Every structure is written in C-alpha cells, then in structure tokens.
Amino acid sequence: MTKSQLIERIAEKAPHVPLRRIEAIVNAVFERMTQALQAGQRIELRGFGCFTVKVRPARSCRNPKTGASVSLQQRSTVTFAAGKELRERLNRVRALPQSRAREPAHLPPSPHPREPGLSSYHLGSAGEVAPRI
C-alpha cells in the first residue's frame, strides 16, 4: 500500500473530512514518527507492532568484484517487529486447508501427470493465471 492509497482508504472511512486534511494528518504522523526514530526513541503501536532503531557498527568487508577490502561506516537502520494481534490476524488468513491454498478451482488440470496442480501454472502479480514456459 502506498501513502496515497492509505489516504484514499482513510477518506473512504471518514467521508466528512476533506482529502487535504487527511493528507496533512498522515504527513504529520509520518513526520512525527521520523523525528522520534531520529531521536532514538521506540515507536510502539499496540496490536500492530514496534519500530526501533538499530545501530550497525563500522566494519570492513570485501568488494566481491575486485576482492579489494572496503570499510563500511557505522549506520542506523529501522527494524519492525509485528505485534501479537497483527501476527494472529495474518496467521488466521493463511490458515486455509493446503488443498484449497495450493490449487485454485479455476485452473485446468496439469498437462504433466508427475506435476499436479500449480506446477505448470503460476499466478502473476495481479493474480492472473499464466502457463509456465
């Protein structure tokens, strides 16, 4: 989901709030989260998850192309740990029976008897079915 899609979804839930106002609120929330992370604070959204800043120490490594030694500076990264409620909701969605989850009903049978189901078909990014080549 992109930021503009998030704004559209919020606008659907709150049609009485102008779109510009929703956009300003979303931008303010993201800006405040960025400021908190820059200050080294932890962001905890109950039921969703936690954002924390991890500092990766300076280290030396090798350039795989040339084999030359390269030194990397210390850097900070943001990590996310999903909350219990989010993990449970995601696992409920994926708890389909294996036969239904692996082989949608609209696919024709496999032309290869040793490769049943989806072995000769795959789903594209938009969910369309295409034969494997």
Side-chain angles (χ1 to χ4, degrees):
M1 174 179 281
T2 63
K3 186 162 68 168
S4 60
Q5 291 170 334
L6 174 64
I7 292 168
E8 289 173 11
R9 289 270 180 94
I10 294 171
E12 290 171 5
K13 298 271 184 181
H16 58 284
V17 181
L19 194 62
R20 294 270 184 203
R21 181 101 173 153
I22 293 171
E23 185 177 0
I25 292 168
V26 169
N27 287 335
V29 168
F30 287 156
E31 180 61 31
R32 183 61 192 117
M33 288 174 74
T34 302
Q35 290 171 358
L37 291 170
Q38 284 175 334
Q41 297 174 343
R42 177 176 184 239
I43 300 172
E44 183 177 337
L45 303 171
R46 296 285 167 123
F48 184 72
C50 297
F51 296 91
T52 54
V53 175
K54 269 192 173 176
V55 177
R56 296 191 177 207
R59 62 189 173 105
S60 63
C61 58
R62 296 208 173 271
N63 181 339
K65 219 177 208 181
T66 63
S69 182
V70 178
S71 62
L72 296 177
Q73 297 178 352
Q74 175 179 319
R75 61 190 174 124
S76 299
T77 61
V78 177
T79 61
F80 175 76
K84 180 180 176 184
E85 185 179 326
L86 177 60
R87 282 193 314 267
E88 288 173 355
R89 289 179 74 179
L90 289 174
N91 287 326
R92 257 186 274 143
V93 170
R94 294 180 185 210
L96 293 174
Q98 285 297 331
S99 62
R100 288 183 55 202
R102 293 188 55 109
E103 189 169 343
H106 66 278
L107 289 179
S110 174
H112 307 289
R114 291 172 52 188
E115 299 178 6
L118 291 178
S119 60
S120 58
Y121 294 90
H122 72 277
L123 299 177
S125 60
E128 72 277 359
V129 178
R132 286 196 178 149
I133 299 174

